[in-house]
Amino acid sequence: MNMVSVSQRLLLLFIFLFCFSSFPSNARFITGRSSPTDLVSDGISTVKNPPYLLLKPLVSAEETCEQTYGFLPCTTTAIGNLFLILVYGYLMFLAATYLSSGSELLLEILGPGIVGGLFLPMLGALPDAMLILVSGLSGTAETAQDQVSVGMGLLAGSTVMLLTVIWGSCVIVGRCDLRDSFAVDGTNTKGFHPTETGVSTDIWTCYAARIMAISIIPFVIVQLPQALNSTSGRHLAVLIALIISVSMLVSYCVYQVFQPWVQRRRLAYVKHKHVISGILRHLKKQAFGKLLTDDGEPNTEIIRKLFHAIDENHDGALSHSELKALIIGIRFEEIDLDKDDAVRKVMLDFDTSLDSLVQEEEFIKGITKWIIEAKQTGGAYLEPTAGTFKFIDRFHQETKREHALLGSEEQSDEVVEHVENPRWISFKAVLMLLLGTLIAAAFADPLVDVVDNFSTATSIPSFFISFIALPLATNSSEAVSAIIFASRKKQRTASLTFSELYGAVTMNNVLCLSVFLALVYVRGLTWDFSSEVLVILIVCIVMGAFASFRTTFPLWTCSVAYILYPFSLALVYVLDYFFGWS
């Protein structure tokens, strides 16, 4: 990002806002009440109680507005407020961009763990959290109750946009050819075929989707009293939901901190398992299918003969060099294998005497142990022609598939070992984070006020403005980076893209909701957001269930996401306008 150009644009915006604020903004409203003085030129309608999207009519000759901080511009006209929404929305977009860029720079220096687990998810949700916070802190409790719908609209709109429009767009731009129900990196010869193109992710992305689905529990708890038509337990339900939401936030951050370590350990184990399965498969071929007895038990005599074949110097033990020659001869081309590391782990697995040699009995015991595990994994059944068991081949295929689902080691180990000029990068990262935080904190309150004024001027409920417009500002940087990242057409980039989307929704459901619930509880506000909560539950459950149990998404799945967005908006409108749900 060019810091100078962005700073210049910010300076121009501040100058314009200062000049604009020096002129008082007055306006008259247009109402739907007819009177003897109504004029055709005033655009008066005789429609009673018009729905949304109509300008509010003349109530008095002049209306004044209150300037935020005493100097920022304000207006009572719809056009003026729309312009201010665009200006403040752009500033919130800049704040989100600065926070995202600063976080990525900090990640280069410190790697995942604390930074990736604690700071990045929280900083990504900071603009939304700021807007929610100021919407509930404004003025009296009555004023806060009116403006808090802006925060809830932003929360619902952000979640819905991430899981529908952005999710579907990432499937489209990241699509590759599907082969054996798995996307082939960097290939797209079938255009927009709905079933033969798509994206594939790793198993960690499925876990992220499951965590996202679980994170809706606080919404369910806080909504229970309304679902049961109870008024006495609402305040208690808010407190319980707040405690659970904060607990889930802490648990999620701890999981994010330790997840890279868990991922590396599991990937290392699966890679070792893949080596062992390759050795078993190789030994089966060398034994001409006689590695097992007729009843499916390990054939110790054949295993003993294979040991002597591998023992080149015939000293009765396998050394490091002899095991390495065995592994090199097998040719593990399907995985990026460190031969020395693989030999070390095989030695560690077989060498129970710890003498850095694999004795004959140790080899037999080790192979027997892995044959039994392969039988449990692959399932023992006879080949119709060979008269032997094929579970070793199935065990090898399963380990290959498991390795592919876990992703590459490059993905699991994101720490950059050497960074040029780390002091300057650290200073730049901190500067961006501070600037983004200051912009978000400074302009969150004016943006909420302008949305409320625009709602008053147009009779459009503030929820719909915040549901549709504000997520465009606060999630724009995430959307652009996610789509660009997905366009690289690799399983690794697709996994990271969708994991970040699920992580952003999870932070909405725990961090932003915790802020919202704290405001409602401390200020004694009324929780009355049934339609909004229903939309969040529907979208999170549908997409969470969709992504929790599959790793490949054909192109047609993007239509499910795209349909959910207008469905969610229509559902809120119907419940709010026709059934009176708030």
PDB file of all heavy atoms in Angstrom, residues 12-22 71-73 83-84 87-88 91 443:
ATOM      1  N   LEU A  12      -7.039  15.435   2.084  1.00  0.00           N
ATOM      2  CA  LEU A  12      -8.048  16.111   1.270  1.00  0.00           C
ATOM      3  C   LEU A  12      -9.447  15.914   1.856  1.00  0.00           C
ATOM      4  O   LEU A  12     -10.263  16.851   1.881  1.00  0.00           O
ATOM      5  CB  LEU A  12      -8.000  15.585  -0.171  1.00  0.00           C
ATOM      6  CG  LEU A  12      -6.772  15.999  -0.999  1.00  0.00           C
ATOM      7  CD1 LEU A  12      -6.786  15.304  -2.350  1.00  0.00           C
ATOM      8  CD2 LEU A  12      -6.742  17.520  -1.183  1.00  0.00           C
ATOM      9  N   LEU A  13      -9.726  14.683   2.333  1.00  0.00           N
ATOM     10  CA  LEU A  13     -11.032  14.434   2.930  1.00  0.00           C
ATOM     11  C   LEU A  13     -11.247  15.258   4.192  1.00  0.00           C
ATOM     12  O   LEU A  13     -12.319  15.831   4.415  1.00  0.00           O
ATOM     13  CB  LEU A  13     -11.175  12.956   3.256  1.00  0.00           C
ATOM     14  CG  LEU A  13     -11.522  12.036   2.080  1.00  0.00           C
ATOM     15  CD1 LEU A  13     -11.421  10.589   2.512  1.00  0.00           C
ATOM     16  CD2 LEU A  13     -12.911  12.337   1.567  1.00  0.00           C
ATOM     17  N   PHE A  14     -10.211  15.362   5.008  1.00  0.00           N
ATOM     18  CA  PHE A  14     -10.338  16.138   6.244  1.00  0.00           C
ATOM     19  C   PHE A  14     -10.552  17.621   5.932  1.00  0.00           C
ATOM     20  O   PHE A  14     -11.350  18.293   6.578  1.00  0.00           O
ATOM     21  CB  PHE A  14      -9.092  15.967   7.117  1.00  0.00           C
ATOM     22  CG  PHE A  14      -9.112  14.724   7.950  1.00  0.00           C
ATOM     23  CD1 PHE A  14      -8.148  13.748   7.780  1.00  0.00           C
ATOM     24  CD2 PHE A  14     -10.107  14.530   8.901  1.00  0.00           C
ATOM     25  CE1 PHE A  14      -8.171  12.597   8.543  1.00  0.00           C
ATOM     26  CE2 PHE A  14     -10.130  13.381   9.673  1.00  0.00           C
ATOM     27  CZ  PHE A  14      -9.165  12.417   9.487  1.00  0.00           C
ATOM     28  N   ILE A  15      -9.822  18.123   4.926  1.00  0.00           N
ATOM     29  CA  ILE A  15      -9.995  19.529   4.547  1.00  0.00           C
ATOM     30  C   ILE A  15     -11.410  19.770   4.047  1.00  0.00           C
ATOM     31  O   ILE A  15     -12.067  20.750   4.407  1.00  0.00           O
ATOM     32  CB  ILE A  15      -8.956  19.921   3.470  1.00  0.00           C
ATOM     33  CG1 ILE A  15      -7.540  19.903   4.074  1.00  0.00           C
ATOM     34  CG2 ILE A  15      -9.265  21.299   2.892  1.00  0.00           C
ATOM     35  CD1 ILE A  15      -6.444  20.116   3.054  1.00  0.00           C
ATOM     36  N   PHE A  16     -11.905  18.836   3.217  1.00  0.00           N
ATOM     37  CA  PHE A  16     -13.258  18.992   2.701  1.00  0.00           C
ATOM     38  C   PHE A  16     -14.290  18.950   3.820  1.00  0.00           C
ATOM     39  O   PHE A  16     -15.221  19.742   3.855  1.00  0.00           O
ATOM     40  CB  PHE A  16     -13.533  17.886   1.675  1.00  0.00           C
ATOM     41  CG  PHE A  16     -14.931  17.913   1.131  1.00  0.00           C
ATOM     42  CD1 PHE A  16     -15.296  18.813   0.152  1.00  0.00           C
ATOM     43  CD2 PHE A  16     -15.890  17.043   1.625  1.00  0.00           C
ATOM     44  CE1 PHE A  16     -16.590  18.841  -0.336  1.00  0.00           C
ATOM     45  CE2 PHE A  16     -17.175  17.067   1.147  1.00  0.00           C
ATOM     46  CZ  PHE A  16     -17.524  17.970   0.156  1.00  0.00           C
ATOM     47  N   LEU A  17     -14.104  17.991   4.754  1.00  0.00           N
ATOM     48  CA  LEU A  17     -15.038  17.894   5.871  1.00  0.00           C
ATOM     49  C   LEU A  17     -15.018  19.148   6.734  1.00  0.00           C
ATOM     50  O   LEU A  17     -16.056  19.623   7.200  1.00  0.00           O
ATOM     51  CB  LEU A  17     -14.698  16.671   6.732  1.00  0.00           C
ATOM     52  CG  LEU A  17     -15.013  15.303   6.118  1.00  0.00           C
ATOM     53  CD1 LEU A  17     -14.446  14.200   6.999  1.00  0.00           C
ATOM     54  CD2 LEU A  17     -16.508  15.129   5.956  1.00  0.00           C
ATOM     55  N   PHE A  18     -13.810  19.715   6.931  1.00  0.00           N
ATOM     56  CA  PHE A  18     -13.716  20.913   7.754  1.00  0.00           C
ATOM     57  C   PHE A  18     -14.429  22.080   7.078  1.00  0.00           C
ATOM     58  O   PHE A  18     -15.182  22.835   7.709  1.00  0.00           O
ATOM     59  CB  PHE A  18     -12.243  21.256   7.995  1.00  0.00           C
ATOM     60  CG  PHE A  18     -12.043  22.520   8.774  1.00  0.00           C
ATOM     61  CD1 PHE A  18     -12.226  22.534  10.151  1.00  0.00           C
ATOM     62  CD2 PHE A  18     -11.676  23.696   8.138  1.00  0.00           C
ATOM     63  CE1 PHE A  18     -12.044  23.702  10.872  1.00  0.00           C
ATOM     64  CE2 PHE A  18     -11.492  24.849   8.844  1.00  0.00           C
ATOM     65  CZ  PHE A  18     -11.669  24.868  10.217  1.00  0.00           C
ATOM     66  N   CYS A  19     -14.194  22.234   5.755  1.00  0.00           N
ATOM     67  CA  CYS A  19     -14.865  23.321   5.034  1.00  0.00           C
ATOM     68  C   CYS A  19     -16.368  23.114   5.013  1.00  0.00           C
ATOM     69  O   CYS A  19     -17.154  24.053   5.174  1.00  0.00           O
ATOM     70  CB  CYS A  19     -14.321  23.404   3.603  1.00  0.00           C
ATOM     71  SG  CYS A  19     -12.571  23.851   3.505  1.00  0.00           S
ATOM     72  N   PHE A  20     -16.785  21.850   4.824  1.00  0.00           N
ATOM     73  CA  PHE A  20     -18.211  21.554   4.769  1.00  0.00           C
ATOM     74  C   PHE A  20     -18.893  21.813   6.110  1.00  0.00           C
ATOM     75  O   PHE A  20     -20.038  22.244   6.175  1.00  0.00           O
ATOM     76  CB  PHE A  20     -18.387  20.087   4.352  1.00  0.00           C
ATOM     77  CG  PHE A  20     -19.805  19.707   4.053  1.00  0.00           C
ATOM     78  CD1 PHE A  20     -20.496  20.311   3.017  1.00  0.00           C
ATOM     79  CD2 PHE A  20     -20.441  18.733   4.799  1.00  0.00           C
ATOM     80  CE1 PHE A  20     -21.796  19.945   2.738  1.00  0.00           C
ATOM     81  CE2 PHE A  20     -21.742  18.375   4.532  1.00  0.00           C
ATOM     82  CZ  PHE A  20     -22.415  18.981   3.488  1.00  0.00           C
ATOM     83  N   SER A  21     -18.130  21.578   7.192  1.00  0.00           N
ATOM     84  CA  SER A  21     -18.723  21.751   8.521  1.00  0.00           C
ATOM     85  C   SER A  21     -18.868  23.208   8.905  1.00  0.00           C
ATOM     86  O   SER A  21     -19.577  23.547   9.846  1.00  0.00           O
ATOM     87  CB  SER A  21     -17.863  21.030   9.573  1.00  0.00           C
ATOM     88  OG  SER A  21     -16.583  21.629   9.641  1.00  0.00           O
ATOM     89  N   SER A  22     -18.168  24.108   8.216  1.00  0.00           N
ATOM     90  CA  SER A  22     -18.253  25.526   8.572  1.00  0.00           C
ATOM     91  C   SER A  22     -19.549  26.163   8.108  1.00  0.00           C
ATOM     92  O   SER A  22     -19.884  27.271   8.510  1.00  0.00           O
ATOM     93  CB  SER A  22     -17.057  26.282   7.964  1.00  0.00           C
ATOM     94  OG  SER A  22     -17.083  26.193   6.556  1.00  0.00           O
ATOM     95  N   PHE A  71     -18.075  19.659  15.674  1.00  0.00           N
ATOM     96  CA  PHE A  71     -17.522  20.333  14.492  1.00  0.00           C
ATOM     97  C   PHE A  71     -17.709  19.540  13.202  1.00  0.00           C
ATOM     98  O   PHE A  71     -17.634  20.110  12.113  1.00  0.00           O
ATOM     99  CB  PHE A  71     -16.022  20.630  14.686  1.00  0.00           C
ATOM    100  CG  PHE A  71     -15.154  19.413  14.710  1.00  0.00           C
ATOM    101  CD1 PHE A  71     -14.584  18.908  13.554  1.00  0.00           C
ATOM    102  CD2 PHE A  71     -14.893  18.760  15.904  1.00  0.00           C
ATOM    103  CE1 PHE A  71     -13.772  17.789  13.582  1.00  0.00           C
ATOM    104  CE2 PHE A  71     -14.086  17.642  15.952  1.00  0.00           C
ATOM    105  CZ  PHE A  71     -13.513  17.155  14.776  1.00  0.00           C
ATOM    106  N   LEU A  72     -17.958  18.211  13.286  1.00  0.00           N
ATOM    107  CA  LEU A  72     -18.119  17.439  12.050  1.00  0.00           C
ATOM    108  C   LEU A  72     -19.443  17.793  11.385  1.00  0.00           C
ATOM    109  O   LEU A  72     -20.423  18.121  12.055  1.00  0.00           O
ATOM    110  CB  LEU A  72     -18.064  15.940  12.347  1.00  0.00           C
ATOM    111  CG  LEU A  72     -16.695  15.378  12.704  1.00  0.00           C
ATOM    112  CD1 LEU A  72     -16.791  13.875  12.946  1.00  0.00           C
ATOM    113  CD2 LEU A  72     -15.669  15.651  11.610  1.00  0.00           C
ATOM    114  N   PRO A  73     -19.486  17.768  10.055  1.00  0.00           N
ATOM    115  CA  PRO A  73     -20.675  18.203   9.340  1.00  0.00           C
ATOM    116  C   PRO A  73     -21.873  17.299   9.592  1.00  0.00           C
ATOM    117  O   PRO A  73     -21.736  16.099   9.854  1.00  0.00           O
ATOM    118  CB  PRO A  73     -20.246  18.131   7.869  1.00  0.00           C
ATOM    119  CG  PRO A  73     -19.149  17.135   7.843  1.00  0.00           C
ATOM    120  CD  PRO A  73     -18.423  17.299   9.134  1.00  0.00           C
ATOM    121  N   PHE A  83     -24.319  11.326   1.152  1.00  0.00           N
ATOM    122  CA  PHE A  83     -22.944  11.705   0.850  1.00  0.00           C
ATOM    123  C   PHE A  83     -22.041  11.471   2.060  1.00  0.00           C
ATOM    124  O   PHE A  83     -20.924  10.940   1.937  1.00  0.00           O
ATOM    125  CB  PHE A  83     -22.891  13.180   0.433  1.00  0.00           C
ATOM    126  CG  PHE A  83     -21.491  13.708   0.280  1.00  0.00           C
ATOM    127  CD1 PHE A  83     -20.738  13.393  -0.830  1.00  0.00           C
ATOM    128  CD2 PHE A  83     -20.928  14.524   1.259  1.00  0.00           C
ATOM    129  CE1 PHE A  83     -19.443  13.868  -0.972  1.00  0.00           C
ATOM    130  CE2 PHE A  83     -19.647  15.000   1.132  1.00  0.00           C
ATOM    131  CZ  PHE A  83     -18.897  14.676   0.013  1.00  0.00           C
ATOM    132  N   LEU A  84     -22.514  11.826   3.244  1.00  0.00           N
ATOM    133  CA  LEU A  84     -21.708  11.638   4.450  1.00  0.00           C
ATOM    134  C   LEU A  84     -21.511  10.153   4.756  1.00  0.00           C
ATOM    135  O   LEU A  84     -20.456   9.751   5.252  1.00  0.00           O
ATOM    136  CB  LEU A  84     -22.368  12.336   5.641  1.00  0.00           C
ATOM    137  CG  LEU A  84     -22.342  13.866   5.607  1.00  0.00           C
ATOM    138  CD1 LEU A  84     -23.073  14.438   6.816  1.00  0.00           C
ATOM    139  CD2 LEU A  84     -20.907  14.386   5.579  1.00  0.00           C
ATOM    140  N   VAL A  87     -18.666   9.128   2.621  1.00  0.00           N
ATOM    141  CA  VAL A  87     -17.387   9.650   3.113  1.00  0.00           C
ATOM    142  C   VAL A  87     -16.922   8.861   4.336  1.00  0.00           C
ATOM    143  O   VAL A  87     -15.790   8.375   4.392  1.00  0.00           O
ATOM    144  CB  VAL A  87     -17.505  11.151   3.437  1.00  0.00           C
ATOM    145  CG1 VAL A  87     -16.239  11.648   4.129  1.00  0.00           C
ATOM    146  CG2 VAL A  87     -17.749  11.953   2.165  1.00  0.00           C
ATOM    147  N   TYR A  88     -17.799   8.743   5.323  1.00  0.00           N
ATOM    148  CA  TYR A  88     -17.420   8.033   6.541  1.00  0.00           C
ATOM    149  C   TYR A  88     -17.215   6.546   6.276  1.00  0.00           C
ATOM    150  O   TYR A  88     -16.367   5.905   6.898  1.00  0.00           O
ATOM    151  CB  TYR A  88     -18.486   8.229   7.626  1.00  0.00           C
ATOM    152  CG  TYR A  88     -18.582   9.648   8.137  1.00  0.00           C
ATOM    153  CD1 TYR A  88     -19.813  10.208   8.464  1.00  0.00           C
ATOM    154  CD2 TYR A  88     -17.448  10.435   8.291  1.00  0.00           C
ATOM    155  CE1 TYR A  88     -19.911  11.508   8.936  1.00  0.00           C
ATOM    156  CE2 TYR A  88     -17.538  11.737   8.763  1.00  0.00           C
ATOM    157  CZ  TYR A  88     -18.772  12.270   9.084  1.00  0.00           C
ATOM    158  OH  TYR A  88     -18.862  13.544   9.541  1.00  0.00           O
ATOM    159  N   LEU A  91     -13.797   6.127   4.963  1.00  0.00           N
ATOM    160  CA  LEU A  91     -12.826   6.227   6.043  1.00  0.00           C
ATOM    161  C   LEU A  91     -12.768   4.923   6.849  1.00  0.00           C
ATOM    162  O   LEU A  91     -11.685   4.494   7.261  1.00  0.00           O
ATOM    163  CB  LEU A  91     -13.168   7.409   6.958  1.00  0.00           C
ATOM    164  CG  LEU A  91     -12.942   8.790   6.346  1.00  0.00           C
ATOM    165  CD1 LEU A  91     -13.498   9.880   7.251  1.00  0.00           C
ATOM    166  CD2 LEU A  91     -11.464   9.029   6.091  1.00  0.00           C
ATOM    167  N   PHE A 443     -14.277   7.769  13.625  1.00  0.00           N
ATOM    168  CA  PHE A 443     -15.382   7.947  12.682  1.00  0.00           C
ATOM    169  C   PHE A 443     -16.494   6.908  12.825  1.00  0.00           C
ATOM    170  O   PHE A 443     -17.439   6.918  12.034  1.00  0.00           O
ATOM    171  CB  PHE A 443     -14.842   7.936  11.249  1.00  0.00           C
ATOM    172  CG  PHE A 443     -14.015   9.150  10.927  1.00  0.00           C
ATOM    173  CD1 PHE A 443     -12.633   9.084  10.976  1.00  0.00           C
ATOM    174  CD2 PHE A 443     -14.620  10.352  10.624  1.00  0.00           C
ATOM    175  CE1 PHE A 443     -11.867  10.192  10.698  1.00  0.00           C
ATOM    176  CE2 PHE A 443     -13.859  11.469  10.352  1.00  0.00           C
ATOM    177  CZ  PHE A 443     -12.476  11.404  10.392  1.00  0.00           C
TER     178      PHE A 443
END
